[in-house]
Amino acid sequence: MNVALRTALQHSSAKPVLWLLGLAPFAWLVWGAANDALGANPAEYLIRATGDWTLRLLCITLAVTPLRVTLGLPELLRFRRVLGLFTYFYVALHLLCYSWLDMGFEWGDIAADIAKRTFILVGFGAFVLLTPLALTSFNRAIRWLGVKRWQWLHRLVYAVAVLAVLHFFWMRAGKSDFAEVFVYAAVLFVLLAWRVVHSSTWRHLLRSVGVTR
């Protein structure tokens, strides 16, 4: 089974399939908006749906390394960049839908809203931190920054994950609806905890106190 999975991941059609899957939610939202199929409040639906897909793709992107190591599937690494870019694509759509459909591109009102409402400020902070990661996700940026500096920069994704969950939590606080928030928080906690436990710094600390060899 593992051999078959590795063969499938190595196939030339794997990335095109991933692109199609990544664009499928966007295609559905465009179709739904064009055909009045997004419910009584399509603007709210679009804002929330793009936010939901951002969180889902963030979780999937962060899961690549743990799955690659745990399952022994190095081929997964070739999909991480595409997944990260799709995460940024949907968070940019999320911000666009908010700025356009909710605020009508009134930049003064948008700035005041960001400063006034904590959950929007936190969400905007996550977008700002994610932007340099998207801009430096290419091989040329890695060569320009150097591998170590590039790796340190891309550790901002941990802060992005925390801010994303806080944004979702405070957004749902008004309705006291936290079920989905806890699911995302639990998934991201497990993924981030795995990275901490398997980091070289953590392993060095454990060796220094004699916990591991």
Side-chain angles (χ1 to χ4, degrees), residues 116 125 141:
K116 179 182 177 181

Side-chain angles (χ1 to χ4, degrees), residues 98-100 102-117 120:
Y98 159 74
S99 301
W100 175 24
D102 195 26
M103 305 300 292
F105 289 134
E106 293 291 339
W107 302 113
D109 292 342
I110 291 171
D113 203 34
I114 291 173
K116 179 182 177 181
R117 296 202 281 178
I120 296 180

Side-chain angles (χ1 to χ4, degrees), residues 1-2 7 20 38 47 54 59 69-70 90-91 99 107-108 110 114-115 125 129 140 161 189 191 195 200-201:
M1 182 176 179
N2 196 44
T7 301
L20 289 174
L38 301 181
I47 293 170
T54 300
C59 290
V69 174
T70 304
Y90 281 99
V91 76
S99 301
W107 302 113
I110 291 171
I114 291 173
L129 291 180
R140 186 176 296 179
F189 175 80
L191 293 173
R195 287 170 177 267
S200 57
T201 302

Side-chain angles (χ1 to χ4, degrees), residues 65-66 69-70 192-203 206:
T65 296
V69 174
T70 304
L192 295 180
W194 185 95
R195 287 170 177 267
V196 169
V197 169
H198 287 79
S199 70
S200 57
T201 302
W202 180 257
R203 289 198 301 269
L206 291 177

Side-chain angles (χ1 to χ4, degrees), residues 1 15 17 21 29 36 39 60 67 80 91 98 133 150 175 177 184 195 212:
M1 182 176 179
K15 275 195 175 181
V17 169
L21 290 174
L29 292 174
D36 196 22
I60 294 170
L67 289 174
R80 186 172 61 185
V91 76
Y98 159 74
L133 306 191
W150 184 87
K175 296 183 178 180
D177 181 10
Y184 285 115
R195 287 170 177 267
T212 61

Side-chain angles (χ1 to χ4, degrees), residues 69-116:
V69 174
T70 304
L71 301 178
L73 294 171
E75 294 80 7
L76 286 174
L77 189 60
R78 63 194 289 251
F79 304 106
R80 186 172 61 185
R81 179 184 302 175
V82 175
L83 290 167
L85 289 173
F86 269 124
T87 303
Y88 188 75
F89 173 68
Y90 281 99
V91 76
L93 282 178
H94 183 55
L95 182 60
L96 174 64
C97 289
Y98 159 74
S99 301
W100 175 24
L101 302 175
D102 195 26
M103 305 300 292
F105 289 134
E106 293 291 339
W107 302 113
D109 292 342
I110 291 171
D113 203 34
I114 291 173
K116 179 182 177 181

